Amino acid sequence: DAKTTQPPSMDCAEGRAANLPCNHSTISGNEYVYWYRQIHSQGPQYIIHGLKNNETNEMASLIITEDRKSSTLILPHATLRDTAVYYCIVRVRGGGSNYKLTFGKGTLLTVNP
Amino acid sequence: NAGVTQTPKFQVLKTGQSMTLQCAQDMNHEYMSWYRQDPGMGLRLIHYSVGAGITDQGEVPNGYNVSRSTTEDFPLRLLSAAPSQTSVYFCASSILGTPNTEAFFGQGTRLTVV
């Protein structure tokens, strides 16, 4: 799986959009970008994933650059409960032994009142 | 649905003791896995299973055993606990294949080995 690079920490004001970047310059054509988050002491929670098109769900939006070498997770209206470590993961989508989520250190997003 | 349930939530062991961390899921997921998380680090994969009777090693398997006799359960065994195994352990499950490969995680077991 391709490696990812994320800033170790970011701050965001409550109610504003939080934009979390991720670099994955070695991503290959069949690899997807996944985002998970981990609120303090809890198990990780799936947020969103995408291949090359921008994606949106009830939690967030995912913007992937045209060359697919980087992406941005957007939380449109951050709340205090969004304070968490956010993990960007690149992996081949599908089953079998290829299904291994490899977590880096992620980005600690702190939403301030 | 309960999702992924881990027991116990907290455990203290003495060096050399053995124990089993339990993980159960009620979503009929084929894939299950165990991770450990140490302070300031991301999650590291210990073992995983793609179905009943099939297990394989992750990146940090030493000191841990697993078995998968049913789809629902994936216990993690520590045969002789060591202080280096002090960590938070997470179990995860998911279906295999497209279209949905979202992983669901349990709430973790915090293990201290003294």
Side-chain angles (χ1 to χ4, degrees):
Chain A
D1 293 340
K3 287 187 177 179
T4 61
T5 303
Q6 298 177 253
S9 63
M10 294 182 64
D11 285 334
C12 177
E14 188 177 19
R16 305 296 293 267
N19 298 289
L20 292 90
C22 180
N23 285 325
H24 31 78
S25 58
T26 59
I27 192 170
S28 58
N30 62 347
E31 289 182 314
Y32 287 69
V33 180
Y34 284 76
W35 284 84
Y36 282 75
R37 74 179 182 183
Q38 186 176 23
I39 297 171
H40 181 62
S41 298
Q42 298 182 18
Q45 176 190 24
Y46 165 83
I47 301 173
I48 198 167
H49 73 272
L51 181 62
K52 54 184 178 181
N53 297 320
N54 298 339
E55 302 288 344
T56 296
N57 63 21
E58 65 277 6
M59 290 182 67
S61 295
L62 174 61
I63 309 298
I64 302 174
T65 58
E66 192 169 344
D67 63 7
R68 301 207 326 120
K69 292 185 177 181
S70 66
S71 60
T72 301
L73 178 75
I74 301 172
L75 307 179
H77 304 287
T79 70
L80 299 179
R81 286 178 291 183
D82 292 322
T83 293
V85 177
Y86 287 77
Y87 297 99
C88 169
I89 300 166
V90 174
R91 60 166 291 275
V92 175
R93 189 184 188 191
S97 61
N98 287 326
Y99 189 80
K100 299 178 187 178
L101 284 174
T102 301
F103 289 82
K105 295 186 179 181
T107 296
L108 172 60
L109 174 69
T110 302
V111 180
N112 300 306
Chain B
N1 284 343
V4 179
T5 303
Q6 291 185 235
T7 56
K9 288 187 171 55
F10 301 93
Q11 183 70 50
V12 178
L13 287 180
K14 294 182 178 179
T15 298
Q17 284 186 317
S18 64
M19 80 159 295
T20 299
L21 280 62
Q22 301 292 343
C23 176
Q25 52 91 8
D26 60 359
M27 298 172 282
N28 202 32
H29 286 169
E30 302 97 328
Y31 186 91
M32 297 185 73
S33 56
W34 277 101
Y35 292 84
R36 61 175 288 173
Q37 185 171 34
D38 301 302
M41 299 185 68
L43 285 79
R44 292 183 291 169
L45 182 65
I46 305 172
H47 286 286
Y48 65 96
S49 168
V50 298
I54 306 169
T55 64
D56 206 345
Q57 296 180 348
E59 54 182 315
V60 289
N62 292 340
Y64 307 96
N65 283 346
V66 292
S67 60
R68 184 92 179 271
S69 57
T70 67
T71 299
E72 294 77 19
D73 300 298
F74 191 44
L76 179 71
R77 297 185 185 85
L78 285 72
L79 297 180
S80 179
S84 61
Q85 294 178 306
T86 293
S87 188
V88 181
Y89 292 84
F90 290 99
C91 178
S93 76
S94 68
I95 63 172
L96 291 179
T98 57
N100 181 3
T101 54
E102 170 187 350
F104 295 83
F105 285 79
Q107 289 305 297
T109 295
R110 189 173 299 273
L111 175 68
T112 302
V113 182
V114 297

